[in-house]
Amino acid sequence: MRVLVTGAAGLLGTELSLQLRRAGHYVLGLDNMSRYALLGEIGIRAQSENEKALEAAGVEFINSDIRYPRLDSSFDAIVHSAAQVCHSRKNDDPWDDYEVNIGGTLRMLEHARTRSVPLLFISSAKLYGENVSELPVDETTPIGDQTHITFFGASKAAADLFAQMYARKYDMHVGVLRPGCFTGRWALAAAAQNWLPYLVHCISRDLPYTIYGYGGKQVRDLLHVSDLANACLLWLTQPSSGVWNIGGGPDRAINLDSAVTWVEERLGKTAVVEYALKRPGDIRCLVMDNDKFVAQYGWRPTMSLEAIFDDVVEAFR
């Protein structure tokens, strides 16, 4: 199978591309390497490290932008994971959200339609907004309205709906995964996004770590990126149209104060924690319901919460 992976040098894109190569598939990886430029800050590891890992594994890597991609090669399926992925970034420009998340996704959908190939779109749980009240969050949870959703969340919601409409109108196989918090050693973490690796980075280097709102009692479930990539692989073996929430679930949920303690214990160091006001879009509790995807694909996360912390601490200490 020949698979086009967009956002190939990101966290999920790198892990998925490597898993595909280990399974013997050809991978065309597309990424414009703009992760930190979009965030407006310098991260804790260079994105070029992921690119080097891809090239060493035999991925055909193309430095190209999904807003105007160069796609001359043939492929049998698309996993579209490229995006502007953060609601709290310093470069908070709604045009990025519109052009990358909506325009770029529409172009990928058109590439899939004109080539008659299935497409898996990596959406986001952030489209539900910050007023999530029922836990765990399933696919019937209402998408956030303008009173509690960010430009980022709105753009992912629009792209999500475009993907669903392409499946219906053009009778295509278009899948939509809505992940919550996922992490792993390929994370391009910064203060604004992918909180666990950044927490490890700060504690190990005696840097202050800021927790925004809720007094450290906000809850997140964590999913290791290897498990998320495995879900993508299962979909690629049996493409179908649908929307699925996917995350660590209740067994892998933890509040931030407890997460700080877990990292302190693993590093043998004390954190310097600062508390700040909540930012727009910050969710009090986010725990994903995986039941629909589990029932359809037989998938379950394999890495425990403890193992996720061990892996990330080892990678980012």
Side-chain angles (χ1 to χ4, degrees):
M1 180 166 52
R2 298 170 62 88
V3 183
L4 169 65
V5 178
T6 72
L11 169 56
L12 174 59
T14 301
E15 176 66 28
L16 175 59
S17 296
L18 295 178
Q19 286 197 24
L20 283 165
R21 289 295 299 138
R22 288 194 292 269
H25 300 293
Y26 170 86
V27 180
L28 176 66
L30 187 150
D31 202 302
N32 71 348
M33 308 296 286
S34 65
R35 161 69 166 176
Y36 295 126
L38 286 171
L39 289 179
E41 58 180 296
I42 298 173
I44 63 179
R45 56 187 297 273
Q47 190 169 12
S48 58
E49 294 180 28
N50 289 3
E51 180 185 358
K52 291 175 182 176
L54 295 173
E55 292 175 341
V59 172
E60 181 182 344
F61 185 82
I62 299 177
N63 191 322
S64 182
D65 196 307
I66 59 171
R67 289 170 286 191
Y68 26 85
R70 306 187 306 273
L71 294 175
D72 299 325
S73 301
S74 63
F75 39 86
D76 304 309
I78 301 173
V79 178
H80 176 41
S81 67
Q84 191 295 99
V85 296
C86 184
H87 75 270
S88 60
R89 63 200 178 110
K90 294 179 180 178
N91 285 353
D92 189 15
D93 183 354
W95 282 102
D96 287 335
D97 298 306
Y98 167 73
E99 292 174 344
V100 176
N101 291 349
I102 302 175
T105 299
L106 184 56
R107 285 179 173 83
M108 288 299 111
L109 288 165
E110 273 295 295
H111 280 294
R113 182 184 69 83
T114 57
R115 289 168 169 80
S116 299
V117 300
L119 180 145
L120 179 61
F121 172 57
I122 308 303
S123 184
S124 171
K126 290 294 179 68
L127 57 76
Y128 293 116
E130 65 183 71
N131 287 351
V132 173
S133 57
E134 297 294 328
L135 295 177
V137 180
D138 67 17
E139 295 79 6
T140 66
T141 301
I143 291 176
D145 62 34
Q146 67 274 17
T147 64
H148 61 274
I149 199 168
T150 61
F151 281 124
F152 160 69
S155 68
K156 293 297 284 188
D160 188 302
L161 293 173
F162 265 102
Q164 294 180 58
M165 284 305 304
Y166 262 71
R168 294 170 188 166
K169 182 174 178 61
Y170 300 115
D171 194 25
M172 298 167 55
H173 284 150
V174 180
V176 177
L177 289 183
R178 294 173 178 170
C181 293
F182 60 95
T183 192
R185 60 182 58 247
W186 304 112
L188 300 167
Q193 215 264 338
N194 214 303
W195 60 270
L196 181 54
Y198 191 72
L199 172 61
V200 174
H201 169 79
C202 288
I203 296 178
S204 63
R205 290 160 179 78
D206 300 313
L207 300 172
Y209 181 80
T210 302
I211 294 178
Y212 293 93
Y214 306 112
K217 302 306 178 187
Q218 56 267 65
V219 174
R220 298 290 183 269
D221 65 339
L222 282 171
L223 180 67
H224 196 270
V225 68
S226 61
D227 284 322
L228 179 55
N230 181 252
C232 296
L233 283 170
L234 287 172
W235 185 90
L236 287 168
T237 63
Q238 190 179 352
S240 64
S241 295
V243 176
W244 302 276
N245 285 356
I246 193 161
D251 291 341
R252 293 164 183 80
I254 189 169
N255 69 48
L256 259 62
D257 274 349
S258 296
V260 170
T261 300
W262 280 31
V263 175
E264 287 177 326
E265 291 171 348
R266 283 161 171 78
L267 291 175
K269 301 189 70 173
T270 301
V272 181
V273 177
E274 299 177 349
Y275 293 89
L277 295 175
K278 171 189 159 307
R279 301 164 299 184
D282 286 338
I283 300 173
R284 171 66 175 83
C285 291
L286 184 64
V287 180
M288 306 306 287
D289 186 329
N290 296 318
D291 287 352
K292 183 180 176 183
F293 194 77
V294 169
Q296 187 165 346
Y297 283 94
W299 170 91
R300 290 187 186 278
T302 60
M303 191 171 288
S304 68
L305 186 61
E306 292 81 359
I308 292 171
F309 270 77
D310 290 341
D311 180 70
V312 172
V313 168
E314 177 62 28
F316 291 92
R317 68 168 67 243

